[in-house]
Amino acid sequence: MNITNKLMLIVILTTAEVSITVFSAFEIAKGAKFHQLNFLHLKYINQLTKTVKKIKNDTPVDINTIEFDILAIKQQPIDCLDEVNYLNRVIMKVIKTDQALTICENDIEIADKALLSVTQYKKGELSRDDFLLNLNVALDGFNQHSEMFEEPIRKTVSFILITLIPLVLIISLFNIILISYLSRTISSSIRNLTILLTSKPEDSTNLDDELDKNTTGELKALVIAARQRIKDDLLNIENSIELKAIVNSQTASLQQANDELAQFAYRASHDLKSPLSGAKSLAQFVIQDIEAGDIKEACQNAKIIYQQMEKLETLVVDILLLAKADIGNENEELIDFNQLITDMEERLAWLMKDNPCTLTTNINLSTPIKSEKARFAQIIENLISNGLKYYDTNKDAPYVHCDIFNEQKTLNITVTDNGIGIPDKHQSEVFDMFKRFHVETSSGSGLGMALVKKHIEYLDGEISLQSSNSGTTFKITIPMDKLR
């Protein structure tokens, strides 16, 4: 028998012993419960007897007290029958003590008849004398059953004690002997293997022969696996010198590839699409105005296109400057967040034109913020534009709200919407590049949130999100010592 089977056998034996011990304890406790129920039975019989004696002395009938006492007497045999399970019934039938159950059933019948007399007396259908006679008959039955109940219960409890306690002791002794034997065999196997491994065989063939001869099962498999692992580790050490040279030769090219990838990520940012899309929409209006002969409106839209192109040029310059920020320090300036929001709204005019979303902002700063304006423009615009794009068409009042405020040690930016939310299974991927979760709603490049994450990490900040069908909230915290 291998070690696994031995340990499993130990577990099974221990579980069986514990189960039988617990069962025995419950059965013994149940016997005590039966005695307690019989004591309560006698107590309430005594209460009813005192009440009946008062009636004989022409005392007014306290019908409520009588009814309470009868119900209390009835409850004891009901609880007794509820305590008895199928196994208890079998045992009581075998040792011929099941008359205790019959006594409980008869007690309930007597109590029901007494309660019927109470009802009849209340309705005036039964005279005082007849009512008193019925109560005395019930009391005689209750007292007789209480005396008869004690003996079969005592006999049943004695049988359980005589049977189960020796059984528990025998099983415990058997377990101790068998578990000691199994433990000794396991210890012996481990000790022999230790001696074998610490010895110095003349060659590996001798060690293999000794393993086949003295070790079996899991221990042999463990030794074979360990030896193979050692061989693999030695091979890895030999290969590591060659791998190190390969890694060194590839480091420069990998660094260059990473730099090119970072530049591509910035240039491919979907934020460049916002002013372009706005200009495209206005260009369509210009075409329509010209076809309709409305030259004045066409000129006005063309001026707006020109303004959008100026904004686009500024944004491109900002992104190019931002792309160089990882190499050299970007110029920092005091940021006017109100103007930043205004500029953003102009760039997003194409998106907000027929959008039912209400955009609100709350800026509450107690100290000037000095940093790279382009970074914050990208962060706020990405978050707000996503809220505008993914609004919930089924909600009456879609909104996007941006809150910017500072505490003593942090600058906080919170963007909240009641849009369609981000699926739970995709929330861990929100900040990955080229990830889009609502393709049917927007055809963006999937780089915006990755760009936001990069900006925040550069500022030593943190960003978190909470999203459900009710909407999405992004919370950003940036240390103030990075912004002064």
Side-chain angles (χ1 to χ4, degrees), residues 411-413 431 452-453 455-465 474-479:
L411 171 68
N412 303 286
I413 301 174
F431 301 108
V452 168
K453 181 74 169 176
H455 291 323
I456 294 170
E457 288 178 345
Y458 177 84
L459 297 169
D460 295 335
E462 295 179 355
I463 182 170
S464 63
L465 71 92
F474 287 93
K475 293 183 178 180
I476 300 170
T477 57
I478 300 172

Side-chain angles (χ1 to χ4, degrees), residues 258 372 477:
N258 285 334
E372 301 163 274
T477 57

